[in-house]
Amino acid sequence: MQVNLSNIYNNTYHKMGESFGGVKSENELKQIDENIKNNKIDDIKTGNNSGNKIYFESKNGISSASISDESLDKLKSHFDSKDFYKREDGSIILNGNAEKYISGWFSDIAYARGYVAANKNNNDFLNKDELLELNVVAKFSLDGTNPQNYQSYQKIERFLADNTTILDSVPKNIDEALNQTILSNSDFDDTITLGESEEFAANKNPQNLNTQNTSTQNVNLASNEIKSTNVDDEEAKKKQEIANALSSLTRIKNTINTNGVKALSKADLDKLEILNIDPNSLQNPQLLEKFNKASDKANEHYANFLNVDKTYIDEKMAKSDEFLGDFTHDSADIVKDLLKNKTLDKLA
């Protein structure tokens, strides 16, 4: 049976928030224009004001944002021309359905994704620590052909703080996030699917297609592996079992070196069997040393992939088999590389 990608990519990645505004008369638009001139708008910092300035209703009154020419053209191609009221300075007051559309996505970005709360200093761009507070990650694991435990609006994991590739892929302010949302939402509905987000990333960075591209890492570390997977259920299950066993190696190694093989649990013995490791052989000092090196090599792969220090991975994985979460369950590329290079070959 082949992996059904629609089971994965039709999942919601982001959902439009509460919409405001609607159809306004000419006089109402002129009054809003006057209020803007008198600076009667909210003080939310959305970026550095580069691009086309737009105004729209939000839960705080009148809000503003700046969008690119491409985003503005896309909006104008879909909504009525009456939905774009041009001011003397060239900025635009949104009206009608265009206003409701943008205000809804503004609500999602500013509040559900957490850009307002994260921007504690009210700067043009979020810094690294602030980016980690955003709810812009979707997590899931693959069981056969179906995504399991799918969850969107997750905070960027703390252990990815030093992975600049991932952090660089996250929009740094509301303006960037709004532009990305406009351009990725192909059908102008109230949902951005995981598939739409992936397609946007592929179009933006075609040279990164089928690699660990920025959007793949932004959405979910595992999504690129799933995207390129075309295997039957049995192989997918085997990969997951191997990855799960690898995630326990550090703790198992520490248990053996401290208390001996007899201190291992039945679950630990089962994981060693999955990796073709005979636990009795580890009573041999030379084979135990080889096992220790294999465990270190596995963590080195994870550390290199995540661009973090190996010591940090060692410390965290020693405390919890679940430290890397769904990442280890879907890290088939790393698993295959480890096995290909016989890092964890049969010890007995």
Side-chain angles (χ1 to χ4, degrees):
M1 184 180 296
Q2 304 298 307
V3 174
N4 185 354
L5 296 184
S6 64
N7 288 344
I8 300 167
Y9 288 107
N10 286 339
N11 280 279
T12 296
Y13 179 30
H14 289 306
K15 181 76 172 177
M16 181 186 289
E18 185 178 4
S19 295
F20 298 87
V23 178
K24 297 177 177 65
S25 67
E26 183 79 11
N27 288 335
E28 288 174 316
L29 290 169
K30 288 181 179 179
Q31 182 59 57
I32 293 174
D33 191 2
E34 191 65 27
N35 290 339
I36 294 171
K37 290 178 181 178
N38 294 323
N39 205 30
K40 294 181 180 180
I41 59 175
D42 70 30
D43 59 354
I44 294 175
K45 196 74 170 178
T46 63
N48 61 358
N49 296 316
S50 61
N52 302 283
K53 178 71 84 174
I54 57 174
Y55 297 91
F56 48 89
E57 280 192 47
S58 71
K59 73 175 187 177
N60 295 320
I62 298 298
S63 294
S64 66
S66 295
I67 60 175
S68 66
D69 291 341
E70 185 179 5
S71 293
L72 182 59
D73 289 343
K74 184 174 181 179
L75 293 176
K76 287 184 174 181
S77 69
H78 182 78
F79 296 106
D80 195 292
S81 60
K82 295 179 181 179
D83 288 353
F84 303 88
Y85 180 88
K86 193 168 185 178
R87 302 178 64 234
E88 290 181 357
D89 63 1
S91 62
I92 294 172
I93 299 174
L94 296 180
N95 190 22
N97 290 328
E99 180 180 36
K100 294 169 73 172
Y101 180 77
I102 291 299
S103 68
W105 281 116
F106 181 85
S107 295
D108 166 61
I109 294 165
Y111 304 108
R113 302 189 205 180
Y115 275 85
V116 171
N119 193 6
K120 297 177 176 61
N121 298 321
N122 207 30
N123 293 328
D124 291 345
F125 300 94
L126 301 186
N127 60 37
K128 184 175 73 173
D129 290 335
E130 291 170 334
L131 288 172
L132 293 173
E133 298 300 317
L134 297 176
N135 302 310
V136 293
V137 177
K139 294 177 63 178
F140 58 90
S141 58
L142 183 64
D143 179 14
T145 62
N146 299 307
Q148 300 296 309
N149 304 317
Y150 185 94
Q151 292 180 315
S152 58
Y153 291 93
Q154 301 298 299
K155 277 185 169 51
I156 299 175
E157 302 293 347
R158 284 288 181 180
F159 74 87
L160 299 179
D162 294 327
N163 190 330
T164 56
T165 302
I166 291 176
L167 291 179
D168 285 349
S169 72
V170 178
K172 302 302 187 296
N173 55 39
I174 292 175
D175 288 345
E176 289 184 8
L178 183 58
N179 275 289
Q180 180 173 304
T181 298
I182 293 170
L183 296 177
S184 61
N185 192 13
S186 56
D187 49 8
F188 284 91
D189 63 1
D190 63 352
T191 300
I192 301 291
T193 65
L194 187 57
E196 285 177 319
S197 178
E198 289 289 295
E199 184 177 0
F200 170 78
N203 291 334
K204 182 179 179 182
N205 301 293
Q207 71 275 17
N208 290 331
L209 190 60
N210 292 327
T211 66
Q212 290 289 351
N213 62 51
T214 55
S215 176
T216 296
Q217 293 170 318
N218 177 21
V219 176
N220 172 22
L221 288 171
S223 63
N224 186 69
E225 166 57 25
I226 292 173
K227 186 174 184 177
S228 61
T229 300
N230 191 20
V231 297
D232 58 29
D233 291 346
E234 192 62 32
E235 184 178 347
K237 181 179 179 181
K238 183 63 175 176
K239 288 178 181 179
Q240 181 167 333
E241 288 178 346
I242 293 172
N244 192 36
L246 285 173
S247 70
S248 303
L249 271 188
T250 300
R251 184 188 51 74
I252 292 174
K253 178 193 73 172
N254 292 344
T255 299
I256 294 174
N257 284 284
T258 303
N259 300 309
V261 174
K262 293 183 179 181
L264 296 177
S265 66
K266 174 65 166 58
D268 292 339
L269 295 175
D270 290 342
K271 290 177 180 179
L272 290 178
E273 182 180 355
I274 289 172
L275 297 171
N276 293 322
I277 298 173
D278 179 2
N280 293 321
S281 71
L282 299 180
Q283 298 182 66
N284 180 313
Q286 290 182 327
L287 293 179
L288 178 58
E289 181 181 1
K290 185 178 181 181
F291 173 74
N292 289 337
K293 290 180 179 179
S295 174
D296 288 340
K297 188 65 176 177
N299 284 3
E300 183 179 320
H301 272 257
Y302 289 126
N304 289 340
F305 184 81
L306 298 173
N307 289 331
V308 298
D309 189 82
K310 178 180 172 294
T311 303
Y312 187 68
I313 295 289
D314 290 339
E315 292 175 352
K316 295 296 184 181
M317 292 187 72
K319 296 178 181 178
S320 171
D321 292 2
E322 302 301 322
F323 168 64
L324 292 180
D326 291 336
F327 169 66
T328 55
H329 291 177
D330 296 305
S331 56
D333 282 341
I334 292 179
V335 174
K336 288 164 62 178
D337 187 43
L338 285 169
L339 297 180
K340 179 181 178 181
N341 292 310
K342 299 184 178 180
T343 305
L344 294 169
D345 59 359
K346 191 172 182 178
L347 298 182

